[in-house]
Amino acid sequence: MGVMAVYALLPLFWLLVNSTKTQSSLFSSFGLWFSGDFALWDNVAGTLTYNDGEFLRWLANTVLYVVVGAGGATFLATLAGYGLAKFEFPGKRGVFAVVLGAVAVPGTALAVPTFLMFSQMGLTNTPWSVIIPSLISPFGLYLVWIYARESVPTEVLEAARMDGAGEFRTFFTISLRMLAPGFITVLLFTVVATWNNYFLPLIMLSQSTWYPLTVGLNSWNAQASTAGGDAIYNLVITGSLLTIVPIVGAFLFLQRYWQSGLSAGSVK
């Protein structure tokens, strides 16, 4: 347990320590302890204002991809999982097999075919090339499917139908409340996956205007190796520290629902 804690927390400690150093002291001091002038606030100001504040633009792009992509993926997964769990229709077993197969396929294997398809459609280098693939979450669909099957009693749905409630009203007023822990759990997974998404934006976007934080910070890091490039490792490290703050906050806020969602099935 102690080894796992060190393995998980040591990179964060290294990131925090080195974000307080200047560019020159990064390479002249011990990496796991503070040294020289305390330059954290100067680094934060430099990160937010460097190159006309493009870090803030990348942050806004990332928030856009998370809100639309992860939010949309969670909503679609909830609708589809609920429908598969509570409705009977021809081909349901085939859909089940397709979903399971999609869960087993890594996203990187589909990145190049997705790029070729979006290139033919003229959507590359636009936000849609990142948002549309993010709307599909086979794992989220499967998770909601399993959760809805156990947490939404069929008798409750039949009682609502006998009282004259339509399917949409039944879903939004009754079923969605019962699905809340599963919904939050899927939302947490999709938010983290979209926030950390790197490979898909890297191949889809050619202009930095629409970069998310992951690709933008890598471009800052890579410019030091180009001819005449400006080495800004202190800003890259500070930007990485700022990047994880929102996702840590979201995780701490949502983890209570996540834990309740995971434990609900075991209690049943």
Side-chain angles (χ1 to χ4, degrees):
M1 189 67 182
V3 175
M4 294 299 295
V6 171
Y7 178 79
L9 297 178
L10 189 61
L12 294 177
F13 180 72
W14 181 93
L15 195 64
L16 178 62
V17 167
N18 288 278
S19 63
T20 66
K21 300 178 180 179
T22 62
Q23 173 73 17
S24 58
S25 62
L26 274 176
F27 300 97
S28 60
S29 61
F30 181 54
L32 291 177
W33 198 243
F34 303 93
S35 176
D37 297 332
F38 186 81
L40 175 61
W41 307 123
D42 293 336
N43 288 336
V44 170
T47 302
L48 298 179
T49 58
Y50 182 77
N51 203 10
D52 295 329
E54 63 181 357
F55 180 86
L56 294 176
R57 185 165 63 246
W58 296 337
L59 176 61
N61 294 339
T62 305
V63 172
L64 172 67
Y65 300 148
V66 167
V67 171
V68 181
T74 304
F75 183 67
L76 293 177
T78 303
L79 284 177
Y82 173 77
L84 287 169
K86 292 301 171 184
F87 294 93
E88 296 295 333
F89 55 88
K92 186 174 179 178
R93 288 183 177 272
V95 175
F96 180 77
V98 171
V99 172
L100 284 183
V103 171
V105 177
T108 52
L110 300 175
V112 174
T114 304
F115 169 77
L116 296 176
M117 182 176 66
F118 276 69
S119 179
Q120 291 292 327
M121 298 169 63
L123 293 177
T124 52
N125 202 32
T126 68
W128 296 112
S129 61
V130 178
I131 291 174
I132 293 177
S134 301
L135 293 175
I136 308 302
S137 175
F139 177 72
L141 189 156
Y142 179 75
L143 195 62
V144 173
W145 182 357
I146 299 300
Y147 191 81
R149 193 175 59 183
E150 300 297 329
S151 63
V152 181
T154 304
E155 294 79 6
V156 174
L157 302 181
E158 292 176 348
R161 290 164 186 156
M162 291 180 65
D163 289 340
E167 296 298 339
F168 283 101
R169 183 180 178 185
T170 302
F171 173 76
F172 286 105
T173 59
I174 299 176
S175 302
L176 194 56
R177 295 182 181 182
M178 297 179 183
L179 291 172
F183 180 88
I184 296 298
T185 302
V186 174
L187 179 64
L188 179 62
F189 282 124
T190 53
V191 165
V192 173
T194 307
W195 190 275
N196 294 326
N197 195 2
Y198 173 75
F199 188 58
L200 181 66
L202 179 66
I203 66 171
M204 287 290 186
L205 304 174
S206 57
Q207 295 181 355
S208 63
T209 307
W210 293 111
Y211 278 176
L213 285 168
T214 51
V215 180
L217 288 175
N218 185 61
S219 69
W220 276 6
N221 185 56
Q223 76 178 19
S225 59
T226 60
D230 186 18
I232 50 171
Y233 295 117
N234 58 325
L235 302 188
V236 174
I237 292 173
T238 306
S240 301
L241 179 66
L242 296 177
T243 298
I244 67 174
V245 172
I247 198 65
V248 170
F251 183 86
L252 294 176
F253 177 74
L254 295 175
Q255 59 89 24
R256 70 184 75 173
Y257 304 102
W258 182 44
Q259 289 179 345
S260 63
L262 291 178
S263 61
S266 61
V267 173
K268 290 178 181 295

